[in-house]
């Protein structure tokens, strides 16, 4: 195990780039599948949907199970497999990543800061209202308004301390990562809004861009040692659960209005 952790820490930036590439490719496959579903629905004279109710249910169940599994694992004694891996990886990353690199990563991670997301959310909401998309604006407001209370509530429940010697010092509890949760909801919901309003030719880069932002921001928290790996995975799982609920609700509302 120690050799694996050492190897991961040594090749952290390369693994980050590889993970980003894989995430974008998986997202592209999902986009292609959704596009085929859209074309099939149109051919049958049905209204296409961004996400079907069955998909919402499957993703929601999967993310809840993943979150529960992570929560159980980190709830074990400090020397348990996942807590031990988390602590050893954070320590090795601090030893292997130079300060210059970490400063660059620290600048990137601000794209997921609370005030950055809050300010951008207000701008998006204002644009939607000015362009007279009240239902979409309401769905957007509900999604982003849920970020802080949901994530903060979960953090308060688990009360997991942050890594001791992180490159950045931040207040608050560690699990699940607020940046991972917020990036998943904000950039995921932003992609949904843009898919609703933009021409089809822009959909592919919109999906790729959203996935890239979520991946970069989440992993940056691990590299900066302000969160453990399991914190980010928990943030992704809980954030995606809330995101699919919001998008599923928005699509249900849209179809009801069109009926």
């Amino acid at each position: 195990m120690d050799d694996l952790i050492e190897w991961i820490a040594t090749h952290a930036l390369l693994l980050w780039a590889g993970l980003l590439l894989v995430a974008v490719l998986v997202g592209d496959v999902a986009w292609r599948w959704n596009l085929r579903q859209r074309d099939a629905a149109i051919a049958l004279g049905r209204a296409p949907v961004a996400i079907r109710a069955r998909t919402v249910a499957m993703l929601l169940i999967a993310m809840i199970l993943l979150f529960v599994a992570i929560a159980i694992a980190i709830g074990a004694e400090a020397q348990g497999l996942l807590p031990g891996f988390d602590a050893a990886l954070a320590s090795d990353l601090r030893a292997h990543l130079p300060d210059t690199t970490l400063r660059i990563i620290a600048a990137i991670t601000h794209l997921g800061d609370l005030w950055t997301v809050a300010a951008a959310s207000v701008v998006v909401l204002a644009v939607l209202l000015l362009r007279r998309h009240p239902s979409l604006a309401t769905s957007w407001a509900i999604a982003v308004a849920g970020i802080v209370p949901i994530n903060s509530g979960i953090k308060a429940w688990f009360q997991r301390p942050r890594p001791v010697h992180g490159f950045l010092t931040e207040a608050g509890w560690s699990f699940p990562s607020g940046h991972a949760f917020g990036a998943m909801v904000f950039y995921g919901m932003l992609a949904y809004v843009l898919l609703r309003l933009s021409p089809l030719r822009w959909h592919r880069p919109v999906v790729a861009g959203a996935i890239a932002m979520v991946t970069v921001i989440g992993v940056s928290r691990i590299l900066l040692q302000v969160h453990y790996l399991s914190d980010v995975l928990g943030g992704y799982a809980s954030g995606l659960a809330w995101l699919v609920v919001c998008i599923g609700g928005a699509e249900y509302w849209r179809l009801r209005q069109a009926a």
Side-chain angles (χ1 to χ4, degrees):
M1 180 65 73
D2 290 343
D3 291 341
L4 174 61
I5 294 172
E6 177 79 13
W7 185 86
I8 293 174
T10 304
H11 301 86
L13 295 180
L14 182 60
L15 290 172
W16 191 19
L19 181 61
L20 174 60
L21 178 60
V22 170
V24 172
L25 289 176
V26 170
D28 193 67
V29 170
W31 174 81
R32 287 174 178 271
W33 178 84
N34 190 270
L35 183 63
R36 289 195 296 270
Q37 296 295 317
R38 173 186 179 276
D39 292 341
I42 292 175
L44 293 173
R46 298 199 300 259
V49 294
I51 186 169
R52 293 181 294 178
R54 183 173 62 181
T55 305
V56 170
M58 291 174 61
L59 283 173
L60 185 59
I61 293 171
M63 290 305 102
I64 290 174
L65 291 176
L66 175 59
F67 184 87
V68 170
I70 296 170
I72 292 173
I74 66 172
E77 68 277 9
Q79 297 304 315
L81 181 60
L82 185 55
F85 182 90
D86 277 341
L89 179 59
S91 177
D92 279 16
L93 285 171
R94 187 71 184 95
H96 285 85
L97 291 174
D99 285 354
T100 302
T101 300
L102 290 172
R103 290 190 189 97
I104 296 173
I105 297 172
I108 295 172
T109 204
H110 290 314
L111 295 171
D113 285 355
L114 173 61
W115 295 113
T116 302
V117 170
S121 297
V122 171
V123 171
V124 173
L125 179 61
V127 171
L128 290 174
L129 291 174
L130 288 172
R131 293 189 60 179
R132 298 182 180 179
H133 298 291
S135 60
L136 196 53
T138 302
S139 299
W140 170 263
I142 292 172
V144 296
I147 293 174
V148 172
I150 294 174
N151 184 253
S152 298
I154 300 173
K155 282 177 180 285
W157 177 270
F158 287 96
Q159 296 188 5
R160 188 188 197 188
R162 290 180 183 268
V164 178
H165 301 295
F167 180 74
L168 299 179
T169 302
E170 294 192 5
W173 301 111
S174 192
F175 178 82
S177 165
H179 276 66
F181 185 103
M184 179 67 75
V185 176
F186 174 79
Y187 290 103
M189 197 67 187
L190 180 61
Y192 170 72
V193 168
L194 293 175
L195 292 177
R196 285 274 302 270
L197 300 179
S198 62
L200 185 60
R201 66 178 180 274
W202 290 105
H203 289 192
R204 195 175 191 179
V206 164
V207 171
I211 292 173
M213 292 302 298
V214 172
T215 304
V216 166
I217 291 171
V219 177
S220 73
R221 308 303 287 174
I222 304 170
L223 299 181
L224 293 168
Q225 310 107 52
V226 289
H227 280 295
Y228 296 113
L229 170 64
S230 56
D231 296 335
V232 171
L233 294 178
Y236 281 156
S238 52
L240 183 56
W242 176 238
L243 176 64
V244 297
V245 168
C246 292
I247 293 179
E251 283 294 276
Y252 175 77
W253 191 4
R254 178 179 67 86
L255 292 176
R256 284 291 299 270
Q257 289 180 321

